[in-house]
Amino acid sequence: MTLPSANCAVCHVAARLTCTRCKVVRYCNGEHQRQDWPQHKSCCRPFREQQDEQLGRYLVATHNVKAKQIIFVEDPLVVGPKWFLTDEEKSASIVPCVGCYTPCRVDKHHCRNCRWPVCSVGCEHEKLECSVLSLGNAPKTKTDVRALVDYYRHDALLVLKCLLLQQQHPDRWRALLEMQSHEEERLGTELHQEAEQRVVGYLQQRFLQRIKQSKQRDSMPSDYEPQLLHRLCGIIETNYMVIELATGIELSGLFRQACMMEHACQPNCYFQFDAATQRIAVRAGCDLKKGDHLKITYTNILWGTQMRHHHLLMTKHFSCRCARCEDPTEYGSYVSAMRCLGDVSKTCVGVQLPVDPLDEKTQWKCDTCPMVVDAAYVTEVQTHMTEQVESLLAGRPTASQVELLLARLSQLLHTNHFHMFNLKHTLVQLYGHEPGLELATLSDLQLGRKQRLCDELYNVCHLLDPHSIKLAIYVSIILIEMTHTLEERARREQAEAAALLEQAELRLKEAQDVVEKVLDSVAGKKLNDKLQKHFAEHYKLTARLKFNKLN
Ligand SMILES: [Zn+2]
Ligand SMILES: [Zn+2]
Ligand SMILES: [Zn+2]
Ligand SMILES: [Zn+2]
Ligand SMILES: [Zn+2]
Ligand SMILES: [Zn+2]
């Protein structure tokens, strides 16, 4: 990750002293630190914690902060395997290595002491965790895979890791217990029952109740009552952050401060995770003003409100009530909107929008005629379409296959609907690249189509995420495809070439700026490499077309 510089902020030599207040800026000596303070003052921890009834604790900017500036860097309280598992993940025979989280087979290599699955012989994990796990009766490797999968519940490890902080980091343990758990509200709910069966009862019976008889009991946690474990489950559920490693592996982490950031379906901050140190750096996604709340997004912002709500309820157990969620048009993007079919006597050009987007049983009303449909109908149509879109895209479709589905869905969906977006985003990457549809072979009509699609996609992204914080990858891809289109037009339209190439260069530079936010991911790195090559080709093309003109 692009962590803070390791060099002195004043003289730029390698430096070891760190500003003790923010731990972001480095200095080679105290003199340079004092010298820098008047400038550094305004960006050193430019935020504070606040609290109110509705939001609980949250973070607010105390100074203006420039886009991409680091707001704070923080050590984790705990980082561990992915917390919220789907049913498939719960029963999969590929599990994260107990040492490094690399996916590995549950029946191949095992830790010598505790027998938990590891990626390779010699991949080690934390000692105390290993001792506690050693208390269990690990099944024989030759046992039925299902029994192995049921024994090695990696999501429960996150709770164990929390519990072990009692011994390992008492300060982190105290900070953890200060976090919200919604303990009381959880009692008697399905969530509580699930936690009891999958995690609490499991950890108790297999490992923790055996601590009393262990010779090493003095170094192990003494407090592991079911009630405490339930509280830890609640704390994780309420606060955990999803961390995606550059390798694509998903982890879950708890951070004292970062977890206080509000969720909103339009973020103004983003974070980068450094796998080596497990530290998180929170950055401003756009210019922030003094008093702005720091917000990040815990869900896919390309989804419509219904799907985001469902996802947030499932994974984070809360209902978002942000400005986008309250707006039936979702900032004018219409990503959930359905087309009105009119009635038997008359067709209609209007769109159906939810009357109250925050109520899942809401009616959907046409903005032009009196037509009303109920939520069940909308859900049914959406689910059916999700299946169609997913199955088409999974099979590496051709441009004409995507066009076909797009035409079918366009009869029921607004042109910006998130299913339409998904198909169009695939399409702009096929025109100009698919064998037989290379840039030079596209007809002017097809080239125009590619350009129009890029413009439409770009506009939707801009409405939902004006600073390309969460949609950085999507937006960079769109910008790169826009550049391809503009360059191809420059090759075809001599008279316009100079102006088109100028536009193309601006798009490339914009893509470069956007991609910087995601350099810590595999996709981001790949896009960045692609961009560098594209820049070189772009300048070659510019030189060639200029030369042609001179002759
Ligand atoms: Zn210095
Ligand atoms: Zn500082
Ligand atoms: Zn490993
Ligand atoms: Zn072990
Ligand atoms: Zn929202
Ligand atoms: Zn209508």
Side-chain angles (χ1 to χ4, degrees):
M1 138 166 94
T2 35
L3 264 184
S5 164
N7 297 338
C8 173
V10 177
C11 68
H12 310 294
V13 302
R16 298 181 71 193
L17 287 176
T18 314
C19 168
T20 44
R21 196 160 167 262
C22 67
K23 301 185 183 69
V24 172
V25 189
R26 300 237 196 168
Y27 299 100
C28 65
N29 60 37
E31 179 47 39
H32 279 174
Q33 176 165 18
R34 270 188 297 281
Q35 199 181 317
D36 191 41
W37 181 244
Q39 292 88 42
H40 177 53
K41 200 161 59 176
S42 66
C43 52
C44 182
R45 288 182 68 82
F47 69 97
R48 70 159 175 269
E49 295 175 24
Q50 268 180 211
Q51 192 164 10
D52 70 26
E53 283 278 303
Q54 201 205 344
L55 293 169
R57 288 194 209 170
Y58 58 97
L59 305 180
V60 176
T62 50
H63 287 89
N64 295 348
V65 182
K66 282 252 167 284
K68 294 187 189 171
Q69 188 188 309
I70 292 183
I71 302 176
F72 61 90
V73 169
E74 187 179 25
D75 286 313
L77 296 175
V78 76
V79 169
K82 185 177 175 196
W83 171 246
F84 180 76
L85 300 184
T86 60
D87 288 341
E88 290 94 74
E89 285 168 328
K90 281 182 195 161
S91 56
S93 55
I94 303 289
V95 297
C97 163
V98 70
C100 67
Y101 308 117
T102 305
C104 59
R105 272 177 50 185
V106 73
D107 57 356
K108 198 143 183 221
H109 303 296
H110 296 90
C111 168
R112 256 177 304 155
N113 301 320
C114 68
R115 310 295 306 153
W116 274 62
V118 286
C119 60
S120 55
V121 187
C123 185
E124 288 184 5
H125 66 123
E126 205 279 317
K127 287 227 163 51
L128 183 57
E129 176 183 282
C130 187
S131 312
V132 174
L133 294 177
S134 300
L135 299 174
N137 274 331
K140 298 261 180 309
T141 319
K142 295 271 181 295
T143 325
D144 178 35
V145 171
R146 268 171 305 179
L148 294 178
V149 168
D150 186 54
Y151 183 80
Y152 298 115
R153 296 190 191 169
H154 38 100
D155 48 345
L157 278 189
L158 190 63
V159 179
L160 182 62
K161 281 178 192 288
C162 288
L163 195 71
L164 297 183
L165 291 178
Q166 284 180 76
Q167 261 68 34
Q168 296 162 327
H169 294 283
D171 53 328
R172 293 189 188 179
W173 174 246
R174 277 191 298 276
L176 185 77
L177 291 185
E178 272 177 28
M179 294 179 121
Q180 254 191 353
S181 67
H182 294 292
E183 236 173 320
E184 259 114 66
E185 295 121 83
R186 286 166 51 88
L187 278 174
T189 63
E190 217 172 279
L191 214 60
H192 190 268
Q193 270 164 26
E194 255 178 55
E196 175 62 39
Q197 280 164 16
R198 172 115 192 128
V199 178
V200 177
Y202 163 78
L203 286 175
Q204 281 279 331
Q205 284 148 29
R206 308 259 173 154
F207 312 100
L208 300 173
Q209 285 171 358
R210 301 176 184 196
I211 287 181
K212 286 189 288 269
Q213 285 106 46
S214 163
K215 285 191 212 94
Q216 291 163 280
R217 61 180 170 268
D218 291 341
S219 65
M220 291 189 184
S222 51
D223 195 359
Y224 45 80
E225 292 308 302
Q227 204 189 345
L228 178 64
L229 297 186
H230 273 296
R231 184 164 166 204
L232 294 176
C233 289
I235 288 173
I236 294 171
E237 250 142 26
T238 315
N239 299 286
Y240 81 99
M241 294 174 81
V242 173
I243 297 166
E244 267 180 56
L245 297 185
T247 47
I249 295 171
E250 185 179 321
L251 303 180
S252 298
L254 290 169
F255 297 82
R256 201 187 77 82
Q257 218 140 44
C259 290
M260 283 180 210
M261 281 191 291
E262 266 170 80
H263 159 87
C265 296
Q266 188 173 87
N268 59 13
C269 289
Y270 63 103
F271 65 85
Q272 293 171 318
F273 179 77
D274 182 46
T277 59
Q278 299 204 329
R279 279 177 146 196
I280 201 172
V282 171
R283 291 179 188 260
C286 53
D287 290 346
L288 298 178
K289 283 205 213 58
K290 181 178 171 179
D292 282 350
H293 292 204
L294 308 187
K295 295 182 240 179
I296 53 170
T297 301
Y298 292 115
T299 185
N300 187 338
I301 65 176
L302 281 175
W303 288 339
T305 299
Q306 269 196 323
M307 257 171 90
R308 291 197 315 284
H309 268 229
H310 183 70
H311 177 246
L312 286 170
L313 266 180
M314 293 285 287
T315 59
K316 303 285 291 182
H317 314 292
F318 80 97
S319 243
C320 182
R321 316 221 142 227
C322 73
R324 174 177 168 193
C325 287
E326 280 180 348
D327 175 1
T329 72
E330 303 181 49
Y331 294 137
S333 68
Y334 292 87
V335 286
S336 294
M338 313 273 292
R339 287 182 56 167
C340 177
L341 296 177
D343 58 23
V344 250
S345 61
K346 211 161 73 207
T347 53
C348 173
V349 290
V351 290
Q352 301 273 1
L353 289 168
V355 178
D356 175 7
L358 295 173
D359 172 10
E360 57 181 76
K361 298 205 173 73
T362 186
Q363 288 199 310
W364 289 56
K365 229 173 138 297
C366 176
D367 65 357
T368 313
C369 77
M371 192 71 180
V372 172
V373 294
D374 59 19
Y377 163 77
V378 176
T379 310
E380 196 190 311
V381 173
Q382 302 256 20
T383 313
H384 182 59
M385 288 183 171
T386 307
E387 282 161 18
Q388 289 188 45
V389 171
E390 280 176 1
S391 89
L392 180 78
L393 295 185
R396 292 180 156 262
T398 61
S400 61
Q401 288 170 319
V402 180
E403 287 283 16
L404 212 66
L405 184 58
L406 201 58
R408 268 222 313 274
L409 299 196
S410 70
Q411 295 175 348
L412 291 172
L413 304 179
H414 187 278
T415 183
N416 286 351
H417 190 279
F418 63 94
H419 282 325
M420 304 284 280
F421 182 98
N422 216 342
L423 292 172
K424 289 178 185 176
H425 199 262
T426 307
L427 212 46
V428 296
Q429 295 172 77
L430 290 172
Y431 283 127
H433 303 282
E434 185 180 314
L437 287 179
E438 292 85 0
L439 277 174
T441 53
L442 293 180
S443 67
D444 285 348
L445 219 65
Q446 286 170 319
L447 196 63
R449 169 92 174 134
K450 180 173 166 104
Q451 177 161 5
R452 240 185 359 265
L453 289 172
C454 284
D455 291 343
E456 284 173 29
L457 292 169
Y458 184 84
N459 288 339
V460 174
C461 290
H462 193 77
L463 290 169
L464 297 181
D465 185 16
H467 306 284
S468 306
I469 298 170
K470 192 79 179 169
L471 295 179
I473 300 270
Y474 280 90
V475 172
S476 329
I477 290 174
I478 297 166
L479 288 165
I480 290 174
E481 295 308 329
M482 278 177 166
T483 319
H484 280 308
T485 315
L486 291 163
E487 286 165 346
E488 182 56 26
R489 280 186 53 204
R491 289 189 198 97
R492 295 182 189 190
E493 301 165 35
Q494 285 283 323
E496 304 291 324
L500 289 165
L501 287 173
E502 220 166 274
Q503 280 180 44
E505 189 173 338
L506 286 178
R507 293 306 196 187
L508 273 183
K509 286 184 174 153
E510 192 182 342
Q512 176 74 75
D513 184 56
V514 171
V515 113
E516 262 175 39
K517 291 174 186 160
V518 282
L519 283 180
D520 60 335
S521 71
V522 191
K525 276 203 199 87
K526 271 196 193 149
L527 271 173
N528 190 47
D529 293 346
K530 214 169 154 183
L531 260 176
Q532 299 321 313
K533 281 192 203 123
H534 200 141
F535 264 112
E537 278 159 27
H538 175 80
Y539 290 128
K540 258 193 250 162
L541 178 69
T542 311
R544 205 183 73 221
L545 290 183
K546 256 194 199 143
F547 179 81
N548 285 353
K549 208 177 173 190
L550 288 176
N551 290 278

mmCIF file of all heavy atoms in Angstrom, residues 29 41 55 70 89 121 130 160 166 214 220 240 278 296 302 374 395-396 411 487 516:
data_model
loop_
_atom_site.group_PDB
_atom_site.id
_atom_site.type_symbol
_atom_site.label_atom_id
_atom_site.label_comp_id
_atom_site.label_asym_id
_atom_site.label_seq_id
_atom_site.Cartn_x
_atom_site.Cartn_y
_atom_site.Cartn_z
ATOM 1 N N ASN A 29 14.918 14.414 12.738
ATOM 2 C CA ASN A 29 15.274 14.865 14.083
ATOM 3 C C ASN A 29 14.229 15.839 14.629
ATOM 4 O O ASN A 29 13.342 16.285 13.902
ATOM 5 C CB ASN A 29 16.675 15.523 14.082
ATOM 6 C CG ASN A 29 16.722 16.743 13.160
ATOM 7 O OD1 ASN A 29 15.754 17.506 13.064
ATOM 8 N ND2 ASN A 29 17.824 16.931 12.468
ATOM 9 N N LYS A 41 0.458 21.230 11.496
ATOM 10 C CA LYS A 41 -0.626 21.384 12.462
ATOM 11 C C LYS A 41 -2.009 21.143 11.860
ATOM 12 O O LYS A 41 -2.842 20.457 12.436
ATOM 13 C CB LYS A 41 -0.551 22.809 13.027
ATOM 14 C CG LYS A 41 -1.244 23.013 14.333
ATOM 15 C CD LYS A 41 -0.758 24.270 15.035
ATOM 16 C CE LYS A 41 -0.982 25.516 14.192
ATOM 17 N NZ LYS A 41 -0.591 26.754 14.900
ATOM 18 N N LEU A 55 -26.676 8.454 15.795
ATOM 19 C CA LEU A 55 -25.531 7.869 15.102
ATOM 20 C C LEU A 55 -24.587 7.111 16.022
ATOM 21 O O LEU A 55 -23.718 6.404 15.570
ATOM 22 C CB LEU A 55 -24.733 8.972 14.384
ATOM 23 C CG LEU A 55 -25.423 9.671 13.219
ATOM 24 C CD1 LEU A 55 -24.633 10.890 12.791
ATOM 25 C CD2 LEU A 55 -25.572 8.703 12.050
ATOM 26 N N ILE A 70 -4.093 11.493 3.824
ATOM 27 C CA ILE A 70 -4.340 10.526 4.897
ATOM 28 C C ILE A 70 -4.971 11.261 6.082
ATOM 29 O O ILE A 70 -4.440 12.277 6.526
ATOM 30 C CB ILE A 70 -3.041 9.852 5.346
ATOM 31 C CG1 ILE A 70 -2.504 8.957 4.234
ATOM 32 C CG2 ILE A 70 -3.264 9.024 6.614
ATOM 33 C CD1 ILE A 70 -1.273 8.186 4.599
ATOM 34 N N GLU A 89 -20.068 -21.107 1.679
ATOM 35 C CA GLU A 89 -18.753 -20.939 2.314
ATOM 36 C C GLU A 89 -18.662 -21.756 3.604
ATOM 37 O O GLU A 89 -17.601 -22.266 3.953
ATOM 38 C CB GLU A 89 -18.486 -19.459 2.598
ATOM 39 C CG GLU A 89 -18.135 -18.675 1.346
ATOM 40 C CD GLU A 89 -18.157 -17.169 1.546
ATOM 41 O OE1 GLU A 89 -18.975 -16.674 2.364
ATOM 42 O OE2 GLU A 89 -17.385 -16.486 0.887
ATOM 43 N N VAL A 121 3.299 -26.922 4.648
ATOM 44 C CA VAL A 121 4.007 -27.332 5.854
ATOM 45 C C VAL A 121 4.868 -26.159 6.297
ATOM 46 O O VAL A 121 5.567 -25.573 5.478
ATOM 47 C CB VAL A 121 4.922 -28.549 5.548
ATOM 48 C CG1 VAL A 121 5.540 -29.096 6.834
ATOM 49 C CG2 VAL A 121 4.127 -29.613 4.819
ATOM 50 N N CYS A 130 -2.859 -21.185 18.831
ATOM 51 C CA CYS A 130 -2.536 -22.586 18.527
ATOM 52 C C CYS A 130 -2.739 -23.447 19.787
ATOM 53 O O CYS A 130 -3.304 -24.536 19.706
ATOM 54 C CB CYS A 130 -1.110 -22.681 18.012
ATOM 55 S SG CYS A 130 -0.651 -24.307 17.423
ATOM 56 N N LEU A 160 -12.508 -16.038 18.678
ATOM 57 C CA LEU A 160 -11.412 -16.514 19.531
ATOM 58 C C LEU A 160 -10.285 -15.483 19.561
ATOM 59 O O LEU A 160 -9.726 -15.179 20.621
ATOM 60 C CB LEU A 160 -10.901 -17.863 19.008
ATOM 61 C CG LEU A 160 -9.777 -18.494 19.832
ATOM 62 C CD1 LEU A 160 -10.247 -18.794 21.253
ATOM 63 C CD2 LEU A 160 -9.267 -19.775 19.169
ATOM 64 N N GLN A 166 -7.405 -10.536 25.711
ATOM 65 C CA GLN A 166 -7.305 -10.436 27.183
ATOM 66 C C GLN A 166 -5.869 -10.627 27.649
ATOM 67 O O GLN A 166 -5.377 -9.891 28.488
ATOM 68 C CB GLN A 166 -8.146 -11.540 27.844
ATOM 69 C CG GLN A 166 -9.621 -11.310 27.844
ATOM 70 C CD GLN A 166 -10.346 -12.483 28.524
ATOM 71 O OE1 GLN A 166 -10.334 -12.596 29.735
ATOM 72 N NE2 GLN A 166 -10.951 -13.334 27.718
ATOM 73 N N SER A 214 -6.181 -27.718 31.398
ATOM 74 C CA SER A 214 -4.923 -27.596 30.662
ATOM 75 C C SER A 214 -3.776 -27.200 31.583
ATOM 76 O O SER A 214 -3.944 -26.398 32.507
ATOM 77 C CB SER A 214 -5.089 -26.548 29.569
ATOM 78 O OG SER A 214 -3.826 -26.143 29.113
ATOM 79 N N MET A 220 -3.737 -18.794 29.512
ATOM 80 C CA MET A 220 -4.913 -18.743 28.636
ATOM 81 C C MET A 220 -6.004 -17.848 29.228
ATOM 82 O O MET A 220 -5.972 -17.566 30.414
ATOM 83 C CB MET A 220 -5.457 -20.158 28.428
ATOM 84 C CG MET A 220 -4.512 -21.006 27.599
ATOM 85 S SD MET A 220 -5.299 -22.540 27.152
ATOM 86 C CE MET A 220 -3.958 -23.360 26.317
ATOM 87 N N TYR A 240 -17.574 -4.706 12.322
ATOM 88 C CA TYR A 240 -16.458 -5.203 11.506
ATOM 89 C C TYR A 240 -16.360 -4.510 10.150
ATOM 90 O O TYR A 240 -17.341 -4.083 9.568
ATOM 91 C CB TYR A 240 -16.535 -6.726 11.334
ATOM 92 C CG TYR A 240 -17.479 -7.225 10.265
ATOM 93 C CD1 TYR A 240 -16.994 -7.588 9.009
ATOM 94 C CD2 TYR A 240 -18.833 -7.363 10.517
ATOM 95 C CE1 TYR A 240 -17.852 -8.065 8.022
ATOM 96 C CE2 TYR A 240 -19.689 -7.844 9.541
ATOM 97 C CZ TYR A 240 -19.201 -8.186 8.300
ATOM 98 O OH TYR A 240 -20.039 -8.654 7.332
ATOM 99 N N GLN A 278 -0.773 -4.927 9.006
ATOM 100 C CA GLN A 278 -2.195 -4.970 9.347
ATOM 101 C C GLN A 278 -2.758 -3.599 9.714
ATOM 102 O O GLN A 278 -3.803 -3.486 10.337
ATOM 103 C CB GLN A 278 -2.461 -5.952 10.484
ATOM 104 C CG GLN A 278 -2.074 -7.371 10.131
ATOM 105 C CD GLN A 278 -2.832 -8.388 10.958
ATOM 106 O OE1 GLN A 278 -3.190 -8.141 12.100
ATOM 107 N NE2 GLN A 278 -3.091 -9.534 10.375
ATOM 108 N N ILE A 296 -17.910 6.069 4.992
ATOM 109 C CA ILE A 296 -17.514 5.051 4.017
ATOM 110 C C ILE A 296 -18.728 4.193 3.679
ATOM 111 O O ILE A 296 -19.760 4.272 4.336
ATOM 112 C CB ILE A 296 -16.356 4.155 4.505
ATOM 113 C CG1 ILE A 296 -16.664 3.559 5.866
ATOM 114 C CG2 ILE A 296 -15.058 4.901 4.543
ATOM 115 C CD1 ILE A 296 -15.675 2.498 6.269
ATOM 116 N N LEU A 302 -23.521 0.198 -6.721
ATOM 117 C CA LEU A 302 -24.175 0.089 -8.028
ATOM 118 C C LEU A 302 -25.521 -0.613 -7.923
ATOM 119 O O LEU A 302 -26.315 -0.580 -8.852
ATOM 120 C CB LEU A 302 -23.286 -0.675 -9.003
ATOM 121 C CG LEU A 302 -22.155 0.140 -9.607
ATOM 122 C CD1 LEU A 302 -21.269 -0.751 -10.452
ATOM 123 C CD2 LEU A 302 -22.697 1.291 -10.442
ATOM 124 N N ASP A 374 -47.280 -3.557 -7.078
ATOM 125 C CA ASP A 374 -46.822 -3.791 -5.707
ATOM 126 C C ASP A 374 -45.396 -4.347 -5.664
ATOM 127 O O ASP A 374 -44.846 -4.795 -6.671
ATOM 128 C CB ASP A 374 -47.815 -4.665 -4.924
ATOM 129 C CG ASP A 374 -48.035 -6.011 -5.566
ATOM 130 O OD1 ASP A 374 -47.179 -6.399 -6.377
ATOM 131 O OD2 ASP A 374 -49.047 -6.649 -5.259
ATOM 132 N N GLY A 395 -20.898 -16.763 -18.543
ATOM 133 C CA GLY A 395 -20.496 -17.583 -19.688
ATOM 134 C C GLY A 395 -19.688 -16.845 -20.750
ATOM 135 O O GLY A 395 -19.668 -17.272 -21.889
ATOM 136 N N ARG A 396 -19.019 -15.768 -20.405
ATOM 137 C CA ARG A 396 -18.217 -14.983 -21.347
ATOM 138 C C ARG A 396 -18.956 -14.740 -22.662
ATOM 139 O O ARG A 396 -18.581 -15.250 -23.725
ATOM 140 C CB ARG A 396 -16.883 -15.698 -21.641
ATOM 141 C CG ARG A 396 -15.963 -15.731 -20.453
ATOM 142 C CD ARG A 396 -14.666 -16.434 -20.784
ATOM 143 N NE ARG A 396 -13.608 -15.971 -19.884
ATOM 144 C CZ ARG A 396 -12.717 -15.034 -20.198
ATOM 145 N NH1 ARG A 396 -12.729 -14.477 -21.383
ATOM 146 N NH2 ARG A 396 -11.808 -14.670 -19.328
ATOM 147 N N GLN A 411 -37.215 -3.453 -22.121
ATOM 148 C CA GLN A 411 -38.669 -3.296 -22.177
ATOM 149 C C GLN A 411 -39.271 -3.104 -20.786
ATOM 150 O O GLN A 411 -40.346 -2.552 -20.637
ATOM 151 C CB GLN A 411 -39.292 -4.500 -22.867
ATOM 152 C CG GLN A 411 -38.841 -4.548 -24.314
ATOM 153 C CD GLN A 411 -39.318 -5.772 -25.058
ATOM 154 O OE1 GLN A 411 -39.806 -6.712 -24.450
ATOM 155 N NE2 GLN A 411 -39.170 -5.738 -26.354
ATOM 156 N N GLU A 487 -9.632 7.936 -29.767
ATOM 157 C CA GLU A 487 -8.444 7.750 -30.606
ATOM 158 C C GLU A 487 -8.812 7.156 -31.964
ATOM 159 O O GLU A 487 -8.288 7.557 -32.997
ATOM 160 C CB GLU A 487 -7.441 6.819 -29.896
ATOM 161 C CG GLU A 487 -6.727 7.513 -28.744
ATOM 162 C CD GLU A 487 -6.017 6.536 -27.827
ATOM 163 O OE1 GLU A 487 -6.299 5.320 -27.922
ATOM 164 O OE2 GLU A 487 -5.193 6.981 -27.006
ATOM 165 N N GLU A 516 -5.357 5.774 -8.829
ATOM 166 C CA GLU A 516 -4.456 5.906 -7.676
ATOM 167 C C GLU A 516 -5.104 5.458 -6.364
ATOM 168 O O GLU A 516 -4.434 5.047 -5.437
ATOM 169 C CB GLU A 516 -4.014 7.361 -7.524
ATOM 170 C CG GLU A 516 -2.655 7.622 -8.130
ATOM 171 C CD GLU A 516 -2.302 9.084 -8.084
ATOM 172 O OE1 GLU A 516 -2.621 9.737 -7.068
ATOM 173 O OE2 GLU A 516 -1.716 9.568 -9.069
#
